[in-house]
Every structure is written in C-alpha cells, then in structure tokens.
Amino acid sequence: MAKDDHMTRILITSAIPYINGIKHLGNLVGSQLPADLYARYNRARGAEVMFICATDEHGTPAELAASKAGKPVDEFCAEMHGVQADIANRFGLSFDHFGRSSSAQNQKLTQHFAGRLKSEGFIEEVSEKQVYSNADGRFLPDRYIEGTCPNCGYDSARGDQCENCTKQLDPTDLIDPRSAISGSTDLEVRETKHLYLRQSKLKDKLDAWITSKGDWPILTTSIAKKWLHDGDGLRDRGITRDLNWGVPVKDGDNDWPGMEGKVFYVWFDAPIEYIAATKEWADARGLDDDAWESWWRTDKGADDVKYVQFMGKDNVPFHTLSFPATIMGSGEPWKLVDYIKSFNYLNYDGGQFSTSKGRGVFMDQALDILPADYWRWWLLSHAPETSDSEFTWENFQSSVNKDLADVLGNFVSRVTKFCNSKFSPAVPDGGTYGERETALISDLTTKIRAYEGHMAAMDVRKSAAELRAIWTAGNEYLQEVAPWSTFKTDPEQAAAQIRLALNLIRVYAVLSAPFIPTASAQMLAGMNTLNMDWPDDVEAALGKLPVGHEFTVPEVLFAKITDDQREEWAEKFSGTRD
Ligand SMILES: [Zn+2]
C-alpha cells in the first residue's frame, strides 16, 4: 500500500538504553526524547513511521547488577525492562515497539549475521590467554577479577581498571588476584578461542560511505573519521565473550566448533536488536515477515524508507562503523542508516550527571515532582546539539514559567475565560477580520513554515525557538487588540478577535503536540475537537472551529514553579540518590 500511494516511510531508532537501572535526564535528551519528537512530528505530517527502541540486556554489568539484587539475570532483566517501559510510557515516548535485546528474535538474527559474516570471510578465529577460575568453573571477564593494585596498593582493584587511581590494568597485573564471583584464588591462565569481526577489511568501503554523507552533522562524521584514520586506523574487534548471559555463539542455525559455552559480545548483538525489535513488533501483532522486512530489506521495500538514528556522541563509533560493518559484511541487502543525529552531553548543575554516583535527576524522580511535559519542553529546548549544555534549576524554573505558563498557558486561559464570561462557552459570532488579523495570519504562516523546516532538519533547539515565537505572536496579538477593552465599545469586533484566538488554541495544540503531547491533548479536549489537521493553510486552519462550536475552559495547563520548590529540589538532588 505504502508503495503505491508514495507515502513517506520513516524508520526511526533511538540508541537502546542499558538494562541495569533507571536512566537520567541526560540519557533521555541524548536519544529517546528527540527521536520521539521527530516520530511524532512526522506522524502528524502524514508519514508512515516505525519508531523502535529496546533495552540492551546482555553483558557483564547486567550479570553483576542481577547478582547484587540477588536475582537470576533473566528475571532481573525482565523486571527492569518493565520498569523502563513504564517510565518511557509516562514520558510520552511513542515507540511503536520497545523491545528486548535478549529476545528469541534477536538471538536468531544475531546468529544469522555471524554466520553470514563467516561465509563472507569477515570473521577471524583468534586464540587468546584468559583467566580461568577452577572454583567457578568458568573464564572470568577482566572486571570479574579483583586484587591489589600494583600502582597504588588499593586492595579491591578490578582486572580492567583500578577504581582508586584510575590506572588501566590487565588482570595479570593484579597482586593476589581473586574471583569477584566466589572470592576464590584458585585461578589459572588458559588458552581460549574468540571471534573477531574483520572491520579493517571494510575500512575503505566504510570510509567511502561516510564521505558520501555530506549532510550528516559534523559531530557524527568527525567521530567516525577519527576512528577510521587515527593511529592504526580501524581495528578488528572481538565479538565473543566467555559469559553465560548472552546470545550463544552459533553459525546461523549450526554449532560453531570450538565456541561452545561462549556468547556474542554485547556490542555485536545490541544494534542488531533494532532489526529484531521490528520483527518483535510484527510477531506481537501476528503479522508476517513482509511487515518487518519492508522496513529493513532493500529487496523488500526498504529502499523507499528513510532510516534515521538518534544517539549520544559516545554511541557514534558503533553506529557509523561496527554496525554498518556487520550489515555490509553480511552480503545481504539490509538497510543502512540514512541519517545519524547525534548529541553532545547534558551536564547537571556545575558537574556531570552520574549514574554510578546517583548525581542529577533520574527519569522516575523527574516524574515524581512534575508532569512529563515540563521536562520534555525544557530538555528539548535546551538539547545539547552544537555543544554540551547544562541543566540548572534557575534556568528550568525560568523556562517553564515564561514559555509554558506565561506565554502558552496564559493565552489559553485568558481567551477561554474571557469568552466564557462575556459571550458563552462557544465560538462567538459577529465582526470581521481586519488588517491586524491579516498581519497575524501572514506572520504565523512564515513562522509555521520555518518551524516545519527546522523539524524536518531535526534542528531541535531551532524548532523549539520557532514554536515559542509562534506562541508569542498570539500573545502579542491578544495584548494589542485587547478584546476585553474592545468589548466595551465594539462587542462584535471583540467576538471576531476571540473567534480567531479560540481557533488559534487548536492550531497551537496541533503544532505543539510533538513537544508537549499531554498539554496538547488537554487543549484539544478543552476545545472539544479531535481535529488534528496540520495548518498547511493558516487562514483556513483558523476557521476550523465554526461559530457556535462549544468548548470548556481547560484546567490550568502549566503551574508556575515557585522559588521554594526550586530551592527544595536543588537541595534534594544535590547529593546521591538513596
Ligand atoms: Zn590503583
């Protein structure tokens, strides 16, 4: 169907959050939230959108977190997935599917890619020496080995790094090494085999592909080029680990001799989950393989798809090099990304957000104190696009109070209350539009076209600034024509002004929905309409609510943040959580 009517099809993926714990606002604004903005905008413009995210569930940190929580790792992951899905939902993140990298679909697809890469000559088997724990009956990843740091004498240094002096270590550097699982010192170094993805063989192809992406943000391409060319250039990467928790190493459906008991390294299977999650979406709806393959296989319709990825800058190397290497190396017609939108970091009040230190505001805590739209607006209007940005409580209070309460909220409240008290709770008849109204329509048309341009270009801050300007234009109009004064001398003219302003509330709801979906829904409910038509023609859009159309005065859309609240929250979040 999509092919025949030339509907735009947009595939959107957000970098998948790691399973162990709740993410902070810096994580949110670096991928999921701007991806949601783009998804909502394109749906509003009539595109067919597939918006995919998932939890990244494999690897050592998940195993460690589960063991700390005293739970089997699969149970821990299922629980945490539920927690993250619930918070995402409450933040209004409109995923078409929020999958799990531990799904059966991802297991099968990851094994398929590995088998393809092997057939195409992009896998190398390498013998390595690694620490084996006799007591635990397993090889130990570096960070599962503890001992005394040879540099500073700290007695709980990990095999990859000393937490105390930050020196990078090899497990064999440690004095009196022991297993972090059992504490056993019965360790030995054994020979073991691992698989490497021969990315270096794909270097030229990747380089040419990145070079062809002249429209990508500099942040994205500069990171990719650095990894391609700095030092020895693009290095081959190990894709297997001696762990229990992960996708078992297989060559497609077949066993891989010598790789028994090993799993794929989490970075290999995590991006494949973008594809697998789309299959999870289809499976959950009882759809056949065409349904998901039309998004991902260029031989099955995906050549018409625009594929956009959102991520923080730390994830750029995996998405510009490793994952494309997996796709290119497979020799199959899988969809490559068309555009990568990457973000810098959001800092917190003079320092960094820190998950390990519990510093900053975490997603669940944010929703405990204010509804999602307050956060969505601030985060998106301050997105760290061209440089890092910083969250401060003063700035948050001032943005919310000015933009949301004084400009947008006040407009809605004044117009509906005035109409209700001087006319009736319905769009009033009488009067005609004059020069001032024509000027407003022309100004709004210019601004809305600019807003569309910024949204299509994924310029998040510019989009927010333009939307704010659109709200302000309405407020200035209202201030200037002052229907409450006009009413005393010319009630007909006041009716025309209010008719326009009531219609403008609907237009604001439509334009603002990608940023503040809950408030947008409240505005539409107040205006007693389900009409979400985009204002392609602004003059026509301002006539959608006809004379006599009834409305209700909405509750206050946005409460102001008081100085007391600001101080209380600044204090509350200055330390560490729990
Ligand atoms: Zn040390």
Side-chain angles (χ1 to χ4, degrees):
M1 181 191 84
K3 263 193 153 169
D4 300 332
D5 64 11
H6 298 287
M7 187 191 246
T8 312
R9 301 176 72 218
I10 304 180
L11 172 64
I12 302 168
T13 60
S14 159
I16 65 178
Y18 199 68
I19 191 70
N20 68 339
I22 291 162
K23 305 299 135 184
H24 55 63
L25 296 182
N27 300 130
L28 180 63
V29 74
S31 54
Q32 291 176 324
L33 190 54
D36 181 67
L37 180 78
Y38 189 62
R40 285 177 177 274
Y41 173 73
N42 281 291
R43 287 191 200 110
R45 299 309 307 278
E48 187 186 0
V49 169
M50 177 61 69
F51 178 21
I52 292 292
C53 193
T55 38
D56 178 7
E57 303 194 358
H58 291 135
T60 315
E63 271 196 320
L64 286 176
S67 119
K68 204 175 154 195
K71 288 179 180 154
V73 64
D74 55 345
E75 198 179 295
F76 171 82
C77 287
E79 222 170 83
M80 285 309 301
H81 175 81
V83 169
Q84 293 205 21
D86 173 58
I87 296 175
N89 185 40
R90 288 192 285 136
F91 256 100
L93 302 175
S94 60
F95 307 132
D96 288 290
H97 188 73
F98 188 56
R100 303 183 58 190
S101 71
S102 64
S103 68
Q105 289 88 340
N106 195 38
Q107 175 159 327
K108 198 163 171 58
L109 205 53
T110 298
Q111 291 166 342
H112 170 81
F113 271 107
R116 289 297 314 157
L117 289 163
K118 182 188 180 199
S119 304
E120 299 287 313
F122 290 109
I123 298 284
E124 187 180 8
E125 298 188 7
V126 175
S127 278
E128 290 178 350
K129 289 187 166 43
Q130 202 180 338
V131 175
Y132 185 86
S133 164
N134 289 304
D136 299 309
R138 62 183 283 181
F139 284 98
L140 297 178
D142 293 355
R143 65 163 91 189
Y144 273 29
I145 305 160
E146 286 178 355
T148 302
C149 173
N151 188 45
C152 73
Y154 178 58
D155 67 0
S156 295
R158 284 194 328 214
D160 56 346
Q161 188 178 24
C162 172
E163 251 191 349
N164 189 48
C165 68
T166 75
K167 190 177 167 61
Q168 305 274 325
L169 298 170
D170 274 328
T172 47
D173 296 338
L174 293 171
I175 301 160
D176 301 329
R178 61 185 182 273
S179 160
I181 301 170
S182 60
S184 169
T185 55
D186 184 11
L187 309 178
E188 62 182 65
V189 174
R190 283 193 190 174
E191 190 105 330
T192 182
K193 203 161 77 170
H194 280 293
L195 305 182
Y196 275 70
L197 176 61
R198 302 176 72 181
Q199 300 185 135
S200 55
K201 273 183 77 180
L202 286 159
K203 184 187 165 188
D204 292 343
K205 203 171 170 185
L206 287 164
D207 199 8
W209 177 65
I210 305 261
T211 304
S212 76
K213 302 296 181 185
D215 61 329
W216 283 11
I218 301 287
L219 181 64
T220 304
T221 46
S222 63
I223 293 172
K225 289 280 182 180
K226 189 170 152 48
W227 279 65
L228 275 169
H229 300 294
D230 274 14
D232 299 334
L234 189 61
R235 310 237 314 248
D236 296 341
R237 293 192 69 127
I239 61 166
T240 53
R241 278 291 182 268
D242 290 293
L243 284 178
N244 298 320
W245 178 236
V247 175
V249 176
K250 282 195 159 196
D251 170 3
D253 293 331
N254 307 313
D255 289 337
W256 199 311
M259 298 306 293
E260 297 80 6
K262 293 174 195 287
V263 300
F264 288 106
Y265 196 5
V266 59
W267 76 256
F268 183 69
D269 79 70
I272 295 172
E273 168 62 8
Y274 292 144
I275 307 175
T278 316
K279 178 165 165 53
E280 291 171 40
W281 164 86
D283 290 350
R285 283 157 187 78
L287 302 171
D288 60 19
D289 282 345
D290 289 346
W292 68 271
E293 286 178 342
S294 77
W295 292 100
W296 284 104
R297 295 277 303 213
T298 57
D299 57 338
K300 294 181 179 173
D303 47 356
D304 286 343
V305 169
K306 178 179 180 180
Y307 176 22
V308 182
Q309 294 175 339
F310 288 81
M311 70 196 66
K313 60 185 169 188
D314 50 328
N315 273 317
V316 168
F318 291 106
H319 290 79
T320 50
L321 305 168
S322 305
F323 185 41
T326 298
I327 286 183
M328 289 174 181
S330 76
E332 292 179 335
W334 296 98
K335 178 84 186 164
L336 280 164
V337 66
D338 293 305
Y339 192 85
I340 295 182
K341 175 72 179 179
S342 56
F343 289 85
N344 288 286
Y345 295 135
L346 177 69
N347 293 318
Y348 178 76
D349 221 1
Q352 289 179 337
F353 277 93
S354 165
T355 302
S356 59
K357 296 196 181 90
R359 187 169 193 281
V361 184
F362 288 73
M363 286 171 73
D364 56 336
Q365 299 172 318
L367 293 177
D368 283 345
I369 61 174
L370 285 172
D373 282 356
Y374 292 66
W375 300 106
R376 290 177 64 106
W377 174 252
W378 189 89
L379 289 167
L380 290 168
S381 59
H382 295 78
E385 285 179 301
T386 50
S387 60
D388 291 354
S389 60
E390 185 176 25
F391 177 92
T392 67
W393 287 99
E394 288 76 15
N395 188 312
F396 179 61
Q397 179 192 27
S398 127
S399 284
V400 163
N401 290 0
K402 264 203 300 223
D403 300 342
L404 299 181
D406 286 344
V407 180
L408 179 62
N410 191 42
F411 180 85
V412 173
S413 160
R414 277 174 106 176
V415 170
T416 52
K417 281 182 181 159
F418 176 76
C419 183
N420 190 43
S421 74
K422 298 296 179 186
F423 298 100
S424 71
V427 177
D429 196 5
T432 50
Y433 293 170
E435 259 178 46
R436 185 60 185 90
E437 285 71 31
T438 308
L440 174 65
I441 288 165
S442 156
D443 182 31
L444 286 173
T445 302
T446 306
K447 288 185 161 68
I448 291 169
R449 297 295 92 85
Y451 177 64
E452 292 163 359
H454 296 318
M455 287 291 259
M458 292 165 244
D459 279 332
V460 178
R461 276 186 181 227
K462 284 184 187 167
S463 302
E466 203 63 52
L467 181 59
R468 189 194 293 118
I470 291 168
W471 296 338
T472 303
N475 251 22
E476 284 172 358
Y477 166 78
L478 202 63
Q479 204 59 36
E480 245 178 88
V481 301
W484 40 89
S485 303
T486 317
F487 184 78
K488 293 170 193 159
T489 54
D490 188 352
E492 293 269 305
Q493 189 54 31
Q497 291 161 353
I498 285 298
R499 194 160 65 246
L500 185 149
L502 286 168
N503 269 284
L504 195 48
I505 294 175
R506 187 199 72 86
V507 170
Y508 282 171
V510 172
L511 294 173
S512 310
F515 280 90
I516 46 173
T518 310
S520 161
Q522 282 173 316
M523 288 156 76
L524 287 172
M527 288 301 103
N528 189 26
T529 182
L530 296 172
N531 186 320
M532 289 286 286
D533 289 353
W534 193 262
D536 293 313
D537 176 338
V538 177
E539 186 168 7
L542 291 172
K544 294 276 179 183
L545 303 181
V547 168
H549 177 90
E550 293 183 3
F551 66 88
T552 50
V553 176
E555 300 279 308
V556 172
L557 283 183
F558 295 100
K560 284 199 183 188
I561 296 171
T562 65
D563 291 349
D564 284 349
Q565 285 176 314
R566 186 200 70 213
E567 280 163 25
E568 182 198 323
W569 294 333
E571 169 65 26
K572 179 175 174 183
F573 295 103
S574 62
T576 59
R577 76 180 292 176
D578 302 333

